[in-house]
Amino acid sequence: MLNPPEASPAGRAAVAAVVIAVSLILQVSVANRLPLPGGVQPDLVLLAVVALALVAGSMTGMVAGFFAGLAADIVPPADHTIGRYALVYCLIGYLCGVATAEMDRQSVVPFFAVAAGALAGTVLYAVTGMILGDPRAEWASVSRMVPPQVLYDVIASPFVVWAVLRATRRYERGERTRGDGLAVPAARYRAMSGRGGTL
C-alpha cells in the first residue's frame, strides 16, 4: 500500500486559509442571523481557530488566529476598532495550541479548550474594548453574555472540530509518516518514538 503524500507547508496553509474563509462566511451569513436567546451567537471563527490550533500546534494556531481575527475585524458588519479580534484570536490560538501535547492522552481536552477559548475570547474582547474606551464593553453586559456564549460555542464545537479534522486529515497523515520530530506535536512524537508507552 502506498504511503500518503507528505504534508507541505503550502498545503497546510491553504487548508487553514480555506477553513478560516468558510467559517467566516458561515459566521456572517448564518450564525449571526440566528435568533438565539441571550442575544449572542456561536463564534464559528473562534472555533475554527481553536480546532486548527489543536490539530497543528501553537504556531499554526497563532498565525491562523491573527489572520482570522483580522478578517473578522474587517468584514462587515464590523463596528469596532480594527485589531481587537486579531489580538484575541491570536492569543487564543497560541494557548489552545499549547494544549495539543495533551490531546492524544485526554479526549476531553478539545471540549475544555473550546470552553476556555470561548470564555477567554469574550473576556479579552471586553477588556480590549474597555482599554480602547468602547462604551458597550461593560462588566454588567459581559457577565450576562459569557454563559450563553460559552454554551453555544460548546454545542457547536463538535461539528466545527469534526469538519476541521476532516479537512486536515490528509496533511496530518503526511506528517505522521515523517520521522521529523519537529514537524509533529510532542505527544505524537513520543508515541511514535516509543517513549510514550512500552516497547
Side-chain angles (χ1 to χ4, degrees), residues 3 20-21 26 47 54 63 87 95 106 129 155 163-164 176 178:
N3 289 330
I20 294 301
L26 290 175
L47 296 178
L54 291 174
V63 174
L87 174 64
L95 294 175
Q106 302 289 338
I155 291 172
V164 172
R176 288 171 188 267
R178 289 192 212 170

Side-chain angles (χ1 to χ4, degrees), residues 3-183:
N3 289 330
E6 287 192 356
S8 66
R12 286 194 299 270
V15 169
V18 169
V19 166
I20 294 301
V22 170
S23 65
L24 189 61
I25 291 169
L26 290 175
Q27 181 71 45
V28 172
S29 62
V30 178
N32 286 350
R33 300 174 186 270
L34 295 176
L36 297 174
V40 295
Q41 293 80 28
D43 192 341
L44 302 181
V45 181
L46 171 64
L47 296 178
V49 169
V50 171
L52 286 169
L54 291 174
V55 168
S58 57
M59 182 58 71
T60 299
M62 187 169 59
V63 174
F66 174 78
F67 285 108
L70 191 60
D73 284 325
I74 295 172
V75 171
D79 58 353
H80 55 270
T81 305
I82 293 178
R84 284 176 66 183
Y85 276 127
L87 174 64
V88 170
Y89 289 176
C90 180
L91 292 174
I92 291 173
Y94 173 77
L95 294 175
C96 290
V98 172
T100 303
E102 302 294 327
M103 194 171 67
D104 288 340
R105 291 176 285 168
Q106 302 289 338
S107 61
V108 295
V109 167
F111 297 101
F112 282 122
V114 168
L119 177 62
T122 305
V123 173
L124 283 174
Y125 185 77
V127 168
T128 58
M130 291 177 186
I131 293 172
L132 295 172
D134 187 345
R136 296 167 297 179
E138 299 177 354
W139 282 118
S141 60
V142 170
S143 62
R144 178 180 50 81
M145 290 170 47
V146 166
Q149 180 74 61
V150 174
L151 176 64
Y152 297 149
D153 286 347
V154 170
I155 291 172
S157 66
F159 306 102
V160 177
V161 171
W162 175 83
V164 172
L165 288 175
R166 293 281 295 180
T168 59
R169 184 175 62 176
R170 173 181 162 196
Y171 298 99
E172 282 295 297
R173 284 180 181 170
E175 287 187 356
R176 288 171 188 267
T177 61
R178 289 192 212 170
D180 183 5
L182 297 176

